Amino acid sequence: YRKSTAGITVWRYRQIIEWCWNTAHTRITSRYRERWGRTYVPLWHFRGHIGSATGGGVGYTYFRAFTQGHFEFCFVQIGGCVVSRNPWIRMTVYASGAWTYTTDVSD
């Protein structure tokens, strides 16, 4: 997510993964992934996903999912967007129930 200098959440980019596994075979048996962006302040717009990749999944010991979104801050009066951000999230879930993630929302 991104906060303004006043501490207000401006936008949020999220990805969730739900998964089940068989401990006897240490394999993932099902998985569900969802991703979305949301804005909370006028003039900020979520323009969609610009990156996606997955690996592993059902029958594997892991499932990995990468996503990247695109946000813009736009003034119609001046005819364009003056700021854009492209946050990304990389998540890995395992047949043991463990999970890890990394993300970047830097400017």
Side-chain angles (χ1 to χ4, degrees), residues 86-89 102-107:
N86 300 306
W88 58 264
I89 304 165
T102 55
T103 185
D104 183 28
V105 295
S106 62
D107 296 341

Side-chain angles (χ1 to χ4, degrees), residues 15-90:
Q15 173 174 257
I16 62 167
I17 299 174
E18 297 175 358
W19 75 105
C20 296
W21 63 92
N22 179 327
T23 54
H25 301 291
T26 62
R27 298 285 185 241
I28 291 176
T29 57
S30 68
R31 59 104 177 152
Y32 170 78
R33 171 193 183 207
E34 188 173 345
R35 59 201 177 121
W36 67 96
R38 183 170 179 196
T39 59
Y40 300 93
V41 174
L43 305 180
W44 275 99
H45 306 276
F46 177 60
R47 301 296 192 200
H49 307 289
I50 60 171
S52 180
T54 61
V58 174
Y60 288 81
T61 59
Y62 72 95
F63 173 65
R64 180 175 298 121
F66 169 85
T67 188
Q68 186 169 26
H70 182 67
F71 292 85
E72 290 183 323
F73 183 74
C74 303
F75 284 105
V76 175
Q77 297 87 346
I78 64 168
C81 300
V82 294
V83 178
S84 65
R85 297 290 179 258
N86 300 306
W88 58 264
I89 304 165
R90 180 179 294 116

